[in-house]
Amino acid sequence: QKEFFNCGSKIFFLKNLRDYNSLLVNSFICADYVEKLESFSSSALFYSYWMNNHALTLAVLKMKRRIHGFVFRVHGYDLIRERWKHNYIPFQKICQHYAEKIFTVSKKNLEYFISTYGNSNKVYVAYLGCEEKGNNPHEILVGRLRIVSCSNIIPLKRLHLIIDILKDVKINVEWIHFGDGYLKKEIFDIAQKLPSNISVVFRGQVKQEEIFSFYKNHHIDFFINVSDSEGLPFTITEAISFGIPIIATDVGGTSEIVNAHTGILLPINFEPKEISASIKEGKIFLAEKKSDIKSQIASLNNEIQDI
């Protein structure tokens, strides 16, 4: 009943009532399963990486007084209401109510949380840490650039803008993308129309170890992310940990890790042709950052707040 009034559109809620009911029922089923585990301890503190169905299951267990407490993180999709239809995230308030603590992945997310849900003494910033992974090979690829992106292929990530940038670049460029999604065919078809000096490779959904191996063994001029909304992209954090310069839109908490030492921030509504015109100069500028980035890893890691 409370969820009905939490949703801005009552008609929308009723149309999706079966799905919401199924989500709740599954959470009770999972809670019953957890209670039967031999290793289950009611005094343990549980943790959910997202505020999703796992956090809801923990909220059910807490509501039934079967666990001592739980905490969870919020990133972007599980926090920002505007990403959801009618600004409604199912069972969000239940998860927030029963959690002992809530950790946001960026200061911007904390600000959003407070402005949207009110100031709470249970909400804290806790950056996701990333150990230094080694050095991306520092070399200049004569006559060409190699850029990398890593994300789901969905509208939020705006991969079409990377294509818009590249279509006006006159030098040779190799663009490698890690990740998959329902827009893959559409983006791939558009990418095939790029001029012959642009080489595009879609590596698909691969294991993290494969991505790290590529970062460690292949020179990369820069990593690019042009999303229109983010929490704090861990893919950027991982690239920085290899000393790879970043070009990214100034959204969410991205500015908290991309700065004058680690890369370049773009306005959310940047003009692709302007980036195209300066990308060759940017190559030199970003290449110089590789020596700066590694010196920043320690200071960035010092800001990580452990749970």
Side-chain angles (χ1 to χ4, degrees):
Q1 185 177 357
K2 288 183 179 180
E3 287 299 304
F4 176 75
F5 291 104
N6 288 338
C7 184
S9 171
K10 306 303 182 284
I11 295 176
F12 173 79
F13 184 88
L14 292 173
K15 284 183 177 179
N16 293 274
L17 182 59
R18 179 175 294 181
D19 292 337
Y20 299 147
N21 184 63
S22 176
L23 177 60
L24 187 60
V25 169
N26 287 337
S27 294
F28 272 90
I29 293 173
C30 290
D32 289 339
Y33 175 78
V34 171
E35 289 185 62
K36 295 174 183 177
L37 294 177
E38 292 183 5
S39 59
F40 175 77
S41 172
S42 60
S43 63
L45 180 66
F46 291 79
Y47 167 64
S48 177
Y49 187 77
W50 298 88
M51 190 198 65
N52 55 8
N53 55 315
H54 301 300
L56 180 57
T57 296
L58 293 175
V60 169
L61 286 165
K62 179 68 181 296
M63 182 174 59
K64 295 171 67 177
R65 299 183 179 180
R66 293 297 295 123
I67 63 174
H68 173 70
F70 73 97
V71 302
F72 64 83
R73 287 186 185 274
V74 285
H75 300 254
Y77 184 72
D78 54 344
L79 170 68
I80 301 172
R81 287 179 171 180
E82 290 75 14
R83 292 194 189 181
W84 294 69
K85 290 183 178 180
H86 300 285
N87 297 341
Y88 171 64
I89 305 179
F91 304 108
Q92 187 182 47
K93 289 191 175 182
I94 293 176
C95 295
Q96 293 176 6
H97 175 75
Y98 284 103
E100 300 299 310
K101 292 182 179 181
I102 300 166
F103 298 99
T104 68
V105 295
S106 68
K107 295 174 184 176
K108 285 290 180 66
N109 274 14
L110 177 63
E111 293 170 3
Y112 178 89
F113 190 102
I114 293 173
S115 65
T116 304
Y117 306 106
N119 197 351
S120 173
N121 56 10
K122 66 167 66 174
V123 186
Y124 305 88
V125 176
Y127 288 117
L128 286 168
C130 188
E131 294 180 355
E132 186 175 353
K133 300 291 195 309
N135 290 303
N136 180 251
H138 195 165
E139 60 182 281
I140 299 299
L141 299 176
V142 179
R144 67 188 175 103
L145 282 172
R146 178 181 289 137
I147 68 174
V148 169
S149 54
C150 180
S151 72
N152 292 323
I153 306 178
I154 56 177
L156 176 78
K157 301 302 180 179
R158 304 195 302 177
L159 294 188
H160 66 281
L161 291 180
I162 298 178
I163 297 173
D164 287 344
I165 291 171
L166 294 178
K167 69 183 181 183
D168 289 316
V169 174
K170 304 305 180 185
I171 61 175
N172 294 327
V173 175
E174 180 184 20
W175 172 33
I176 299 164
H177 179 78
F178 294 96
D180 211 336
Y182 68 91
L183 288 182
K184 180 178 180 179
K185 185 180 185 307
E186 178 181 329
I187 294 297
F188 181 81
D189 289 345
I190 298 172
Q192 296 308 299
K193 299 176 183 178
L194 285 167
S196 59
N197 60 302
I198 309 297
S199 167
V200 182
V201 180
F202 285 91
R203 297 287 292 268
Q205 202 75 29
V206 300
K207 292 183 178 180
Q208 186 183 59
E209 292 78 12
E210 185 175 335
I211 298 174
F212 287 174
S213 177
F214 187 89
Y215 290 174
K216 188 171 181 62
N217 296 299
H218 297 82
H219 169 79
I220 298 169
D221 288 287
F222 61 85
F223 179 99
I224 187 166
N225 178 304
V226 293
S227 299
D228 65 11
S229 180
E230 289 286 359
L232 194 157
F234 197 59
T235 54
I236 291 180
T237 305
E238 290 173 336
I240 290 174
S241 74
F242 283 92
I244 300 171
I246 308 297
I247 292 180
T249 41
D250 188 5
V251 294
T254 301
S255 63
E256 295 170 39
I257 53 173
V258 179
N259 52 43
H261 298 285
T262 58
I264 297 172
L265 285 171
L266 305 176
I268 185 171
N269 295 316
F270 68 89
E271 175 53 56
K273 286 188 176 182
E274 292 181 2
I275 309 303
S276 304
S278 60
I279 203 165
K280 188 173 183 180
E281 179 182 350
K283 173 187 176 182
I284 300 171
F285 176 60
L286 287 168
E288 291 173 348
K289 289 182 179 294
K290 285 204 170 187
S291 59
D292 292 335
I293 291 173
K294 305 309 287 186
S295 66
Q296 291 295 307
I297 297 297
S299 59
L300 286 171
N301 284 338
N302 286 337
E303 293 192 48
I304 296 169
Q305 302 175 33
D306 293 328
I307 293 179

